[in-house]
Amino acid sequence: MTTAMPLPRLIRLDDYDPVLGSGEVAELRALASHLQGRTVEMVNSTAVGGGVAEILSRLVPILQELGLAIRWDVITGGNDFFEITKAFHNALHGGPYEMPPESFEVFLAYNQQNRARLQLEAEFTVIHDPQPAALIEARRNRSGHWVWRCHIDLSRPNPTVWSFLEPYVIRYDGAIFSSPEFSRQLPIPQYLFYPCIDPLAEKNRELEPELVRATLERYGIDPKRTILTQISRFDRLKDPVGVVRAYQGVKRYLDCQLVLAGGGATDDPEGGAVLEEVRQAAGNDPDIHVLELPPWSALEINALQRGSTVVIQESLREGFGLTVTEALWKKKPVVASAVGGIPTQVIHKHTGMLAHSVEGAAYQIRFLLSNPSIAARLGEQGHEHVREHFVITSNVKRYLTLFLRMLGHS
Amino acid sequence: MREAQQPFHFVTASYVTRISDQKATNLCELSRGLDNSSDASVFYHTFQSLSRLHFLTEGFSNDFAQWVLAACNRAQLAEQLAALDIRDYLSLAELRGDLRRILAEYCQANPQHAEQTAFEPFYFCEGIEVTVPLGFEAWTLEAFRDGLERLSHASIYYHFIASRLRLQLRTNDFSLWLSTSIGLDDLAQRANRIDIYTNTLESARAILVGMVEEELSR
């Protein structure tokens, strides 16, 4: 005899009413009523892991429920392709590019392969990030509306990689960036779309305190003591070793534990090496918990964030920093470096604390631990800031608005 | 129950932010940027900033003032820029003129600060608007109150703040309708006096709903 597993209940648009207010959802329906049946294709490079896949996994069903004919396609490629695109990613963030010249041909060959495989005939095609950027070559006679959604900071790109990509980018009808400072001077319109989180997703929904406590204990973390947490994949740009140093700076004065928890991403071959560096930096300190979490750990991440006293995001470079958004949504006081999209979220002294160095981060953490009422106020205001700008429905609204404008609606 | 001569049509506006090519790294560049920026950009950094951070009532109310304080550390100039009340302006040209005048006077009086590099640049942006009817209207004060309670923040912002510029009057959509369509001049004036700088959009809505309920209970 088999036992049928209960099917997970699909999240519907109306489920957002209690969280965001019915007016917000009604507004989406009003906008979408002018886009019924319009075709949209979203293309990116990974189905799981990383902020882009997370956003698309909610954005697509909501747009579908609103009546748009939307599909989401993921490009495929071998390890060689993803090593190259990882090198692109680091180089576009300003790092060196050390791949051989033929890497560009490999990149284009995989894009061509995907061009043959994908439909790419929608009225609105949104290509996410550099990996599939060359798919624009599939466009014939300027048909449809093509938009390049860049989730990374392009303010200081490596010139070799950018000069290769730019000719593709400027063939789009517009480019979307996560912050004005990530954008570049381009001959096409540039739009500002903040990335977002889904407040009803496993990673962000309300949790029973008992579940939070049990999760912490399962990882050997003491729920009764102060917990500092950074949730990020193990990437040098997230400076996990710097976080260990900041924690050590706090620990000189205040008792605390540090949780460094990271998920792997299918397009990140460097993760293992960085994880090893972190373990070495942590040494034998029993209060440092380095957790390598698989991609299906949304609930655990939620619990770790909710159980934290202060959430840290000590990135050296950052796209937008959705882990900051998640922490703010959970009303956590956040100490984060003033890079990338973080200052957009963390308005210093209003919705969190910004730091410009490891020492500064350590000081701000100590300040918040010593002033819990200020920490609580920042958490409340941070939550409102996210509710207004960085939740999935805000992103849906921006896409609907952009599509309407592209169709000439005003 | 008094019926209005014309119904109130509830509308919402949605905005996409367009990033312009202009940025400023010091006060002089901000002043020059204001000269060259579009009306949509002045609107974005003054009127729309009230919507974007409506939940904060402390701090400064427009992006220029906020940047001058946070990135240039010039509190006096920031206060002067923040003191410009958008309710006093019928055109963006006037508002731009006053912003420029204040900046120019400060730069002239404080040349040592005028070209000092800010901690972070100011990026000029524009708000691109799409408006859509929400599909409901009010013929009576009761229906108007019910409608107010259903509105999103964006819709409240559109009718209560952004409308001032569209109407070219020193009033807002709500007050205009209360006065001209339903003949409640006193309520219209009181609604127009709700302080949009010291209230959040949510608290402004609550005050307005309270005023309407008070009127209904008479």
Side-chain angles (χ1 to χ4, degrees), chain A residues 368-390:
Chain A
L368 291 175
L369 294 179
S370 307
N371 294 277
S373 61
I374 294 176
R377 181 174 57 82
L378 297 184
E380 287 289 340
Q381 293 185 166
H383 174 80
E384 275 306 303
H385 194 30
V386 173
R387 198 173 76 86
E388 197 65 32
H389 300 288
F390 314 125

Side-chain angles (χ1 to χ4, degrees), chain A residues 164-181:
Chain A
F164 168 73
L165 277 177
E166 188 180 19
Y168 296 101
V169 169
I170 62 175
R171 289 166 64 181
Y172 286 81
D173 295 317
I176 300 172
F177 291 91
S178 300
S179 164
E181 76 174 279

Side-chain angles (χ1 to χ4, degrees), chain A residues 23-24 27 34 180-181 185 189-192 347 350 377 381 385 387-389 397-398 401-402 405, chain B residues 12 14 16-19 21 52-56 58 123 128-133 150 152-155:
Chain A
E24 307 296 325
E27 189 170 272
H34 300 269
E181 76 174 279
Q185 288 219 334
Q190 297 179 68
Y191 303 99
L192 175 63
I347 305 169
H350 289 291
R377 181 174 57 82
Q381 293 185 166
H385 194 30
R387 198 173 76 86
E388 197 65 32
H389 300 288
K397 186 160 40 166
R398 290 185 191 106
T401 308
L402 181 62
R405 281 302 290 213
Chain B
T12 193
S14 184
V16 169
T17 301
R18 185 167 168 173
I19 305 164
D21 284 341
R52 287 197 308 278
L53 294 174
H54 73 86
F55 53 90
L56 295 176
E58 74 268 43
Y123 295 91
I128 298 172
E129 185 183 85
V130 167
T131 57
V132 289
R150 291 169 65 185
S152 65
H153 291 150
S155 186

Side-chain angles (χ1 to χ4, degrees), chain A residues 35-347:
Chain A
L35 290 164
Q36 294 301 292
R38 299 281 185 176
T39 54
V40 181
E41 185 169 3
M42 298 269 173
V43 183
N44 80 318
S45 67
T46 176
V48 289
V52 180
E54 272 187 43
I55 291 170
L56 289 176
S57 69
R58 287 306 305 139
L59 183 73
V60 170
I62 293 175
L63 286 171
Q64 201 164 37
E65 189 184 339
L66 285 167
L68 283 78
I70 185 167
R71 53 180 293 141
W72 171 17
D73 288 309
V74 177
I75 58 166
T76 56
N79 285 343
D80 51 347
F81 177 64
F82 288 116
E83 276 170 27
I84 290 164
T85 58
K86 177 68 186 173
F88 271 28
H89 179 91
N90 289 341
L92 289 170
H93 270 118
Y97 187 69
E98 287 159 353
M99 301 295 274
E102 52 275 21
S103 58
F104 295 117
E105 287 161 34
V106 176
F107 174 88
L108 290 177
Y110 276 109
N111 266 261
Q112 192 174 0
Q113 250 180 42
N114 281 288
R115 238 174 30 233
R117 199 176 59 80
L118 301 174
Q119 288 189 352
L120 303 172
E121 288 170 348
E123 288 169 281
F124 302 100
T125 303
V126 184
I127 303 293
H128 293 260
D129 277 339
Q131 298 94 327
L135 290 179
I136 185 70
E137 290 200 299
R139 186 184 196 183
R140 294 282 168 260
N141 305 320
R142 296 198 62 79
S143 59
H145 302 275
W146 283 65
V147 182
W148 186 54
R149 173 61 171 109
C150 180
H151 294 267
I152 60 178
D153 180 352
L154 273 191
S155 55
R156 280 165 289 175
N158 176 296
T160 308
V161 174
W162 178 242
S163 62
F164 168 73
L165 277 177
E166 188 180 19
Y168 296 101
V169 169
I170 62 175
R171 289 166 64 181
Y172 286 81
D173 295 317
I176 300 172
F177 291 91
S178 300
S179 164
E181 76 174 279
F182 296 177
S183 64
R184 299 198 61 70
Q185 288 219 334
L186 294 171
I188 57 173
Q190 297 179 68
Y191 303 99
L192 175 63
F193 277 34
Y194 298 125
C196 59
I197 59 162
D198 181 1
L200 300 181
E202 281 292 270
K203 205 191 266 188
N204 298 305
R205 67 177 176 85
E206 285 288 339
L207 295 181
E208 291 294 321
E210 180 54 30
L211 177 60
V212 173
R213 191 185 60 76
T215 306
L216 294 172
E217 286 176 349
R218 180 150 53 89
Y219 289 114
I221 304 159
D222 182 353
K224 295 194 187 75
R225 291 169 59 210
T226 297
I227 302 168
L228 314 178
T229 301
Q230 174 161 301
I231 307 279
S232 273
R233 59 187 187 183
F234 292 97
D235 182 327
R236 287 189 187 90
L237 293 174
K238 311 293 182 192
D239 198 18
V241 174
V243 177
V244 173
R245 285 175 48 216
Y247 152 82
Q248 288 162 343
V250 176
K251 185 114 185 179
R252 287 173 60 201
Y253 304 94
L254 299 163
D255 174 55
C256 56
Q257 306 164 89
L258 174 66
V259 178
L260 282 165
T266 54
D267 59 351
D268 186 7
E270 277 182 4
V274 178
L275 183 62
E276 192 45 45
E277 289 169 18
V278 174
R279 288 201 167 116
Q280 280 184 12
N284 295 322
D285 187 337
D287 283 333
I288 300 180
H289 303 270
V290 181
L291 310 178
E292 191 185 1
L293 300 176
W296 51 88
S297 305
L299 198 63
E300 285 79 2
I301 290 171
N302 187 346
L304 290 170
Q305 287 170 326
R306 287 186 188 277
S308 300
T309 319
V310 173
V311 171
I312 307 166
Q313 190 64 51
E314 186 58 31
S315 303
L316 301 174
R317 301 294 299 269
E318 189 57 78
F320 187 71
L322 280 174
T323 50
V324 170
T325 327
E326 291 160 10
L328 293 174
W329 176 251
K330 295 170 181 105
K331 302 185 181 179
K332 292 294 159 186
V334 170
V335 173
S337 43
V339 297
I342 291 174
T344 305
Q345 303 182 67
V346 177
I347 305 169

